[in-house]
Amino acid sequence: RLGRRAEEMSLKAYVVGGFVRDLLLGKENQDLDIVIEGDALAFIKSWETDGCKVAVHERYKTGTIVFPGDKKVDVATARREFYEYPVALPKVAGDSLKHDLYRRDFTVNSMAISINRTSWGTLIDYFGGRRDLQSRQLRVLHNLSFVEDPTRVLRGLRLKQRLGFEFEDNTFRLIKSAVKGGLLGLLSGTRVKNELKLIFMEEKVYPIVLEMVRLNIFEALFSGIKVDRNCIRIVRRLSFFLRRLRYDLPDIEEDVWLAFLAAVIFSSADWVQHATLDKLHLSKSNREIVEKALDDLGTAENAIGGKGMRSYEEIYLFLRDAPYVTALFWAAATQQWRVRRRILLYLTRLHRVNPILMGRDLVELGYPKGPLIGKILEELLLARLRGEVETREDEIKWVKS
Ligand code: ATP
């Protein structure tokens, strides 16, 4: 439909970037990016009458179409910027597409597929993306790529791990000189935060962090930071725990990156930790999560550590005041295996414990609506943690007594 509409409006439309890369690799990718040669704004707005929600960015000539059923498509106008160089006029695409693709990060991300009816499915590959995809290499399009945008170093490390690719030799050399030349230090905190967040939300964070440490990336981003073996051990444990906990705690997903952030600054001096968090402009709540993780590890160890038995109730009552990611961080950072085991017990099981009876059952039993009901349910929950009730009948008996 997108291609047909473009055709009707005499525009050329292409699918570009990650979608094309993943299509050729046979991988699923839900992010459809379309580039239009011509007026993308008119194209986007034309979908409004088809029951789609649209949003446009007049200045950048980009926008989004959300189809019924929530399928989202990003649409951009092919951009022609800065670079003028000899171009052989392509057959399918106009040369503004070539310029647009030349601005991209790696050759494997610089391919497009035409979606106009007459040329539907034609692959446009000016820079050898397909060849690099076959030889599993990440290659920049030109030697100034990282100077133009140093976040590409971080994107590259993430993509390399995700796809299981290698950097092409010259690209790897350019990465090392970008780091040495201090380019990463020039990035704004917000851009660094966005890229770090994407890295820390990947499925396999540990190998990316290892490579970042080997290449001194953290030092280049945050002056004075010390990512030592202890930090790396915490990152490894976090990755390991998350493989399992993602299923027990789906809500944790959004904040997981904060635990990794706490891990990489764990061994740095206080002032470096603060300066790093300042630079990243974390929201107040995110900052509190990281600070609590770092500052209260000792408190957590005192509260639920030690050789003696700790009741489920004790573990629950202490940990329920901490965000899940903070507790997860403590589990990974503590040197005490008992603390680790107790936190993991909480994160996998105890946090989910709830009475069988609900508020309305208590109303039926004759209790007045209001705060008392909440109090009884709370007490019932603790009774359950102590093992005093099991069935619904036990609970009713317990409430009545
Ligand atoms: P992901 O699966 O992580 O979303 P993606 O390749 O689809 O991977 P996006 O961030 O959605 O990544 O970006 C879409 C496309 O835009 C990329 O494929 C790439 O061509 C281009 N791109 C994104 N960021 C940059 C950048 N900093 N420099 C150059 N090109 C970029």
Side-chain angles (χ1 to χ4, degrees):
R1 282 172 71 197
L2 290 159
R4 204 176 323 132
R5 174 71 50 89
E7 190 99 11
E8 284 160 16
M9 298 178 74
S10 306
L11 300 168
K12 288 183 177 169
Y14 310 88
V15 181
V16 294
F19 186 90
V20 176
R21 174 197 74 216
D22 288 344
L23 185 73
L24 294 174
L25 286 171
K27 284 176 170 233
E28 199 180 326
N29 187 325
Q30 299 288 341
D31 299 333
L32 199 56
D33 285 312
I34 304 277
V35 164
I36 301 276
E37 282 191 306
D39 189 353
L41 292 181
F43 178 80
I44 298 165
K45 287 175 185 164
S46 79
W47 290 93
E48 243 171 346
T49 48
D50 295 63
C52 302
K53 281 191 219 130
V54 306
V56 292
H57 216 300
E58 299 276 346
R59 182 158 162 226
Y60 295 108
K61 295 195 172 11
T62 60
T64 310
I65 309 169
V66 184
F67 286 89
D70 259 8
K71 176 87 192 108
K72 203 181 100 185
V73 177
D74 288 319
V75 185
T77 306
R79 274 198 254 174
R80 223 190 139 116
E81 282 175 3
F82 322 120
Y83 295 99
E84 285 302 334
Y85 55 93
V87 221
L89 264 185
K91 287 188 196 72
V92 182
D95 70 340
S96 63
L97 178 73
K98 184 164 185 176
H99 283 270
D100 186 287
L101 297 174
Y102 188 66
R103 293 169 31 244
R104 289 170 188 264
D105 48 4
F106 300 100
T107 57
V108 295
N109 284 340
S110 73
M111 291 178 279
I113 293 178
S114 167
I115 56 168
N116 282 62
R117 202 167 46 86
T118 43
S119 50
W120 201 89
T122 309
L123 177 72
I124 294 146
D125 177 16
Y126 293 115
F127 309 108
R130 191 145 200 203
R131 170 203 62 202
D132 289 334
L133 217 50
Q134 265 153 9
S135 55
R136 309 184 80 73
Q137 289 199 317
L138 290 180
R139 180 196 306 268
V140 282
L141 278 82
H142 55 84
N143 281 353
L144 289 178
S145 188
F146 297 125
V147 179
E148 221 171 84
D149 182 358
T151 61
R152 292 173 186 165
V153 172
L154 302 175
R155 282 182 59 83
L157 289 162
R158 180 164 62 87
L159 208 56
K160 169 177 181 278
Q161 182 52 45
R162 160 116 59 91
L163 301 174
F165 281 21
E166 290 301 327
F167 287 117
E168 165 272 333
D169 289 347
N170 182 48
T171 300
F172 193 48
R173 195 178 54 75
L174 292 171
I175 288 180
K176 286 189 283 195
S177 55
V179 175
K180 250 200 184 143
L183 292 181
L184 290 168
L186 302 175
L187 285 168
S188 76
T190 309
R191 295 200 73 199
V192 173
K193 176 175 71 181
N194 293 341
E195 292 301 328
L196 274 187
K197 188 170 172 182
L198 290 171
I199 287 175
F200 291 154
M201 287 172 76
E202 281 287 317
E203 208 174 299
K204 292 182 183 156
V205 179
Y206 176 61
I208 310 182
V209 169
L210 263 194
E211 181 149 32
M212 288 173 78
V213 170
R214 268 193 221 115
L215 291 169
N216 297 320
I217 303 269
F218 289 109
E219 285 86 339
L221 290 170
F222 307 111
S223 56
I225 198 171
K226 185 176 123 199
V227 185
D228 61 7
R229 287 175 59 180
N230 220 355
C231 300
I232 294 174
R233 194 177 309 134
I234 301 173
V235 169
R236 193 179 60 209
R237 285 210 188 106
L238 282 173
S239 296
F240 181 70
F241 296 160
L242 276 169
R243 257 189 264 160
R244 148 118 210 247
L245 284 168
R246 283 211 154 100
Y247 300 100
D248 290 308
L249 294 168
D251 310 347
I252 208 173
E253 205 63 40
E254 269 284 289
D255 292 335
V256 153
W257 70 282
L258 296 167
F260 285 107
L261 177 61
V264 297
I265 61 176
F266 179 73
S267 301
S268 297
D270 279 359
W271 70 269
V272 176
Q273 293 182 344
H274 287 134
T276 303
L277 298 178
D278 286 344
K279 175 170 177 174
L280 293 175
H281 300 298
L282 298 192
S283 67
K284 190 161 171 279
S285 61
N286 281 352
R287 188 165 179 139
E288 276 168 13
I289 288 177
V290 178
E291 283 178 343
K292 189 171 171 68
L294 294 167
D295 298 345
D296 292 355
L297 173 62
T299 314
E301 289 173 337
N302 287 334
I304 55 169
K307 284 191 185 145
M309 286 285 285
R310 293 282 183 178
S311 68
Y312 287 172
E313 189 182 6
E314 241 178 313
I315 298 170
Y316 179 92
L317 284 175
F318 178 75
L319 289 175
R320 76 163 170 190
D321 291 331
Y324 293 143
V325 268
T326 304
L328 177 71
F329 174 83
W330 291 335
T334 182
Q335 309 269 18
Q336 301 181 30
W337 64 267
R338 287 189 182 84
V339 174
R340 184 162 23 259
R341 209 178 57 186
R342 288 164 187 163
I343 296 176
L344 292 175
L345 175 73
Y346 170 79
L347 290 175
T348 49
R349 286 180 37 209
L350 300 185
H351 80 100
R352 274 192 273 166
V353 172
N354 266 314
I356 299 172
L357 292 183
M358 294 197 283
R360 62 164 184 265
D361 298 317
L362 295 180
V363 175
E364 271 173 31
L365 286 173
Y367 290 91
K369 283 185 185 167
L372 179 65
I373 296 221
K375 244 181 140 58
I376 298 175
L377 288 175
E378 154 94 8
E379 285 301 325
L380 202 48
L381 165 75
L382 298 179
R384 176 164 288 278
L385 285 167
R386 290 192 298 271
E388 292 168 11
V389 293
E390 208 173 302
T391 62
R392 188 184 156 89
E393 284 64 42
D394 293 345
E395 288 193 353
I396 293 175
K397 224 189 277 167
W398 188 91
V399 170
K400 285 183 172 162
S401 70

